[in-house]
Amino acid sequence: MNSPHRLSRRTLLGGSLALGTSAAFGLPASAHARARTVAAGEVVPVDRRSIGACPAADAAGRRITAILAGSARYLIGPWYAGTYRTYLPDGYIDLKGTDERAVRLPAMAAVATATALVTGVYDPATLSAANATVRTRNLIRTLAARHRANNTEAATRWGDGWQTALWAYYTALAGWLFWDELDAKARGDLAAMTAWEADRLTTGDDLYLVGRGGHQLYEKRRDGSVVTPGDSKAEEDNWSAAVLSLAAVMMPGHPHAAVWRHRNIELLVAAAACPADLTGDTTLDGIRLATWLRGTNIADDGTLDNHNILHPLYMVAFDQSLYQGFVFGLADLPAPRAALHNITRVYSALVDKEFPDPDGTRRTIYQPGSGEIHYPEGNDWGTHFPFYFGNFDLLVSLTAQDTGIDPAAATWERLHNEEQLRLMARFPDGRTYGPSGENTYYGREHRIGAMAGQAFLTLLMARNTTGNRLRFA
């Protein structure tokens, strides 16, 4: 068990705040072996001394600060204490499995708490920052050690799965932020895990996400024929892009970094591809859309479907593309322009597009003057999701992707995040949800925390006292 210790001043990010085409199968067969032996020394840590503060003096800043502080307090407090009670003989906590519940949930919690701790947002009202640091470090080092890049035990290893790129991204992001708090073993495990998952995704081409027989990049082919009915591949593409972007930024001198950077761009372009992109001469980050794209994931009107319905919750899943702004910003680099591809188109569909009701009237997804959301074909995840939209509103506002849209994203951010804070105010421990029907996902609190952490980091990059680091090439 690691002994508790306080975060040093140098670990704080803005501590004044209170509250062309990559070759298909382009890596050699030894790529994964290389990933397993990647050195922690190849990671370039965040230069915290060069990053100023984010006073978050405006109302939007105060809202996201409160959401992150409450969520992190709950996750590293009551949730952690009720989930992890003992250490295993090897010194790691027991993840109790290798599936999404066992891996993704603690990884999302680590993003929330690591962000809150290193930015000074953490609220120690019920658990000291020193003890929260120990718990956060335990999550990060255990998750990294159990990844298959570092673990040969089939019963306890995770990785190489449909969603594991996202789990690795969360773990790596938390670890990168918490680098000063990790020992050499944890650092090496994080680097190897991140490189391994990134390398796996470079085996695809302009049709497949992973390999010639792997996951498709598109719901529909160029000719309009459907590959995966009712199931846009947008979310999978942009969560896979996330680990590629982070690997390239964390390890810019790695031999595979250039391939990671380009594959990241390809997946961002594919994620938001619509039929209008298949013609014309638009080029993004060196990729000519009309000639490279082999299909589409969203409609020209900015909508998409998932679970066989037009699904607003998956429209705002483009938050993962916009988070690339802070990932690159932490290294003081511009993010690829492809991260903004068709965001305005999607956001306009949320705000302005009208959908027919059975009684003949028409309604928009965003309800005028209200924090309520209209789901034109229903919502199979539950009833209460204001922060999913408030998070996206904040990102769209900070990246200026609401040009020409009225009301602007800042208006909707207030409505949706005030509703989020009302949900949280029902509980003294920082959680958001009560009855399971409000949000049926078993990681609902963790999802709030991961979004809040990444939204706060985006705000920190955009409004930093050293200058705007939220830039796109």
Side-chain angles (χ1 to χ4, degrees):
M1 180 181 295
N2 292 321
S3 60
H5 64 281
R6 293 187 180 278
L7 286 172
S8 62
R9 289 182 181 273
R10 66 190 175 87
T11 65
L12 299 183
L13 291 174
S16 65
L17 182 63
L19 287 179
T21 303
S22 65
F25 315 96
L27 292 180
S30 60
H32 291 335
R34 170 74 180 103
R36 285 193 294 272
T37 59
V38 67
E42 291 180 318
V43 173
V44 177
V46 177
D47 184 1
R48 293 164 175 163
R49 294 169 299 180
S50 72
I51 299 175
C54 173
D58 68 339
R62 291 193 295 272
R63 283 188 287 271
I64 192 61
T65 299
I67 294 167
L68 174 58
S71 182
R73 180 162 56 89
Y74 170 74
L75 291 169
I76 208 63
W79 176 77
Y80 183 103
T83 305
Y84 307 111
R85 299 182 181 276
T86 60
Y87 291 91
L88 295 174
D90 61 3
Y92 294 107
I93 57 178
D94 184 1
L95 295 177
K96 303 176 183 178
T98 59
D99 61 1
E100 180 178 359
R101 188 187 295 266
V103 180
R104 180 179 176 179
L105 271 57
M108 290 192 289
V111 169
T113 58
T115 303
L117 284 162
V118 302
T119 59
V121 169
Y122 180 73
D123 177 2
T126 54
L127 183 72
S128 70
N131 285 330
T133 297
V134 172
R135 291 181 175 187
T136 302
R137 182 169 55 237
N138 280 338
L139 293 176
I140 296 168
R141 69 188 188 91
T142 300
L143 289 163
R146 296 300 190 230
H147 188 270
R148 65 185 303 124
N150 309 303
N151 181 15
T152 59
E153 295 183 1
T156 61
R157 70 184 185 188
W158 64 275
D160 197 23
W162 166 67
Q163 201 185 81
T164 58
L166 179 63
W167 309 349
Y169 163 78
Y170 287 138
T171 305
L173 173 59
W176 195 37
L177 294 171
F178 233 51
W179 200 252
D180 288 354
E181 303 300 324
L182 303 178
D183 62 19
K185 171 68 164 59
R187 290 177 177 182
D189 288 348
L190 274 167
M193 172 201 71
T194 308
W196 198 99
E197 290 285 346
D199 281 345
R200 181 174 69 94
L201 296 167
T202 61
T203 63
D205 54 20
D206 56 354
L207 183 61
Y208 292 105
L209 179 60
V210 181
R212 292 193 187 279
H215 304 303
Q216 291 271 352
L217 286 181
Y218 312 104
E219 178 185 9
K220 298 178 180 178
R221 299 185 180 91
R222 289 184 66 98
D223 63 6
S225 58
V226 179
V227 179
T228 56
D231 182 23
S232 169
K233 312 315 290 182
E235 186 189 28
E236 293 159 47
D237 291 352
N238 70 18
W239 83 41
S240 297
V243 77
L244 288 158
S245 69
L246 186 56
V249 172
M250 283 177 62
M251 297 176 276
H254 191 283
H256 303 165
V259 180
W260 295 338
R261 284 193 297 270
H262 196 81
R263 186 59 172 161
N264 173 48
I265 292 167
E266 291 180 335
L267 295 187
L268 289 171
V269 167
C274 68
D277 293 328
L278 302 179
T279 60
D281 57 1
T282 300
T283 298
L284 284 174
D285 300 297
I287 295 177
R288 188 165 183 262
L289 272 56
T291 56
W292 185 81
L293 288 170
R294 292 291 174 264
T296 62
N297 280 307
I298 69 173
D300 282 337
D301 64 6
T303 61
L304 59 74
D305 53 11
N306 219 313
H307 297 195
N308 292 303
I309 57 175
L310 186 154
H311 217 313
L313 283 180
Y314 289 89
M315 292 168 66
V316 296
F318 282 108
D319 60 353
Q320 195 67 67
S321 295
L322 295 180
Y323 291 145
Q324 294 212 3
F326 84 74
V327 169
F328 283 85
L330 286 170
D332 202 15
L333 297 169
R337 177 65 54 174
L340 304 178
H341 183 47
N342 281 334
I343 297 297
T344 302
R345 189 187 296 265
V346 172
Y347 199 68
S348 179
L350 292 168
V351 174
D352 296 328
K353 183 173 175 57
E354 294 183 336
F355 298 86
D357 278 342
D359 63 3
T361 59
R362 302 179 69 84
R363 281 193 288 171
T364 52
I365 293 172
Y366 280 11
Q367 294 291 284
S370 170
E372 294 296 316
I373 301 296
H374 169 54
Y375 299 93
E377 297 180 8
N379 178 9
D380 55 351
W381 281 112
T383 58
H384 289 61
F385 296 85
F387 187 55
Y388 287 57
F389 297 93
N391 162 65
F392 194 56
D393 300 330
L394 179 61
L395 300 175
V396 168
S397 180
L398 292 172
T399 56
Q401 296 306 294
D402 56 347
T403 301
I405 299 173
D406 185 32
T411 298
W412 297 108
E413 181 278 326
R414 177 182 63 81
L415 291 168
H416 296 142
N417 284 343
E418 284 180 350
E419 180 62 25
Q420 166 64 22
L421 290 170
R422 279 192 286 271
L423 293 180
M424 296 179 79
R426 301 176 299 170
F427 309 101
D429 59 7
R431 76 181 71 192
T432 296
Y433 290 107
S436 61
E438 291 180 349
N439 182 339
T440 62
Y441 177 44
Y442 46 71
R444 57 191 187 165
E445 299 293 348
H446 311 74
R447 183 83 171 94
I448 296 295
M451 288 190 295
Q454 293 171 99
F456 185 87
L457 290 170
T458 305
L459 181 75
L460 176 63
M461 293 299 99
R463 298 182 181 169
N464 199 271
T465 53
T466 65
N468 181 11
R469 287 170 171 249
L470 192 63
R471 309 187 306 275
F472 295 85

